[in-house]
Amino acid sequence: VQLQASGGGLVEAGGSLILSCAASGLTSGSNARGWFRRAPGKEREFVAAINWNGGTKYYADSVKGRWTISGDKAKNTVYLQMNSLKPEDTAIYYCAAEPQAGWALAASYSYWGQGTQVTVSS
């Protein structure tokens, strides 16, 4: 199983980015995909998750209302549309798949992508 994250970059505060995470070797009908991030000097934290089957979406309070997670089963790809970016959103963003318990619990995810850097300038 491989998860390939892409779409990171440098953007000014208030701008937008779209992250993508393409999966290979993973059934498109798998249960869920998630996004996490790790800012410099901080622990990895949950950002968003999507139930691949029912479409239910979950967001961290810090991104709710600004960002949208979505998925394309045909492409086996999950997206994270990030709007109204803030300098505190600067982090390495990781996609993950197949949580065994707890959408927001990083330790429960079975597979991880390599991460993509997002830098938001003030």
Side-chain angles (χ1 to χ4, degrees):
V1 174
Q2 285 192 326
L3 301 177
Q4 183 70 40
S6 61
L10 173 64
V11 64
E12 292 186 350
S16 299
L17 282 174
I18 301 176
L19 303 185
S20 300
C21 179
S24 59
L26 188 64
T27 305
S28 61
S30 61
N31 63 346
R33 310 286 171 87
W35 286 98
F36 289 76
R37 67 185 180 186
R38 176 174 285 161
K42 294 187 176 182
E43 298 290 322
R44 182 170 46 186
E45 66 174 354
F46 170 76
V47 173
I50 182 169
N51 180 324
W52 211 239
N53 296 314
T56 306
K57 302 175 183 181
Y58 305 86
Y59 297 96
D61 289 342
S62 59
V63 308
K64 200 174 296 183
R66 297 190 297 132
W67 298 3
T68 302
I69 188 171
S70 62
D72 185 331
K73 285 190 175 182
K75 296 181 178 180
N76 211 351
T77 298
V78 63
Y79 304 96
L80 186 66
Q81 171 73 52
M82 305 186 295
N83 298 326
S84 303
L85 281 160
K86 305 174 181 180
E88 52 263 42
D89 294 320
T90 295
I92 300 174
Y93 284 74
Y94 300 88
C95 60
E98 299 292 294
Q100 301 306 306
W103 305 93
L105 185 61
S108 77
Y109 282 76
S110 300
Y111 306 106
W112 289 86
Q114 83 289 0
T116 184
Q117 176 72 48
V118 171
T119 303
V120 184
S121 63
S122 56

